[in-house]
Amino acid sequence: MGPTAAADVAGAAEQAGPAERPGKRTKLVSGPGIVLVWLYGVMTVGAASRSVYQIASDFGRAPLAYSLSAVAALVYVFITYTLVRGGETARKVALVCCAFELVGVLTVGTWTLLDSSAFPDATVWSYYGAGYILIPVALPVTGILWLRRSRALTASAPAA
């Protein structure tokens, strides 16, 4: 690439909005977003360690419950990664994952209330995450609100 072409690319990047700059990602973890990433990281470790232990020690006892804990861990990993990565695509993926997480928590939480015999052992999302001080039900709602807010802030940010 010659000096003129490089100057053209640099000039285009300066004129582009924050979400359009090549190689530049909009941060999703500024301010309260840092707390959100920290909580998702803690939940990732909690859900992953719980599911690995349960699956390795006695999977036959409650395969559905232990598998759901593993799914929760994967969802938490994806959300944590996308929040740290930043950018519009990562924000959209995190939003979809948070929505999936909320549906999972509400479904499993309700299912455990209606038919607790279906779960011989608890999952991360049992009783809406009561074993985790209800963080599993509050976290996706907070995440969705934060991701929608970060999108609104990005859209309203003046071009640099």
Side-chain angles (χ1 to χ4, degrees):
M1 183 187 300
T4 307
D8 290 342
V9 170
E14 289 175 14
Q15 293 175 351
E20 301 165 5
R21 280 191 203 115
K24 173 90 170 133
R25 292 190 187 112
T26 306
K27 288 180 69 172
L28 298 174
V29 293
S30 60
I34 293 170
V35 175
L36 192 63
V37 169
W38 184 83
L39 284 170
Y40 268 113
V42 168
M43 290 304 295
T44 297
V45 171
S49 58
R50 176 187 191 130
S51 65
V52 166
Y53 174 78
Q54 289 173 326
I55 289 170
S57 66
D58 197 13
F59 184 71
R61 181 168 173 248
L64 178 61
Y66 300 162
S67 297
L68 286 172
S69 289
V71 168
L74 288 173
V75 170
Y76 294 144
V77 166
F78 274 6
I79 294 171
T80 304
Y81 172 75
T82 55
L83 288 172
V84 170
R85 179 171 169 79
E88 183 59 19
T89 302
R91 189 192 67 76
K92 288 177 183 177
V93 170
L95 198 55
V96 169
C97 287
C98 284
F100 176 79
E101 176 192 2
L102 183 59
V103 168
V105 171
L106 294 176
T107 301
V108 173
T110 303
W111 193 357
T112 54
L113 287 175
L114 296 176
D115 183 17
S116 61
S117 66
F119 297 93
D121 204 353
T123 74
V124 174
W125 294 340
S126 293
Y127 303 101
Y128 307 107
Y132 291 84
I133 47 179
L134 300 176
I135 291 173
V137 76
L139 209 49
V141 172
T142 306
I144 289 168
L145 292 173
W146 173 252
L147 291 164
R148 289 180 53 113
R149 182 179 178 273
S150 69
R151 172 63 180 150
L153 290 174
T154 301
S156 66

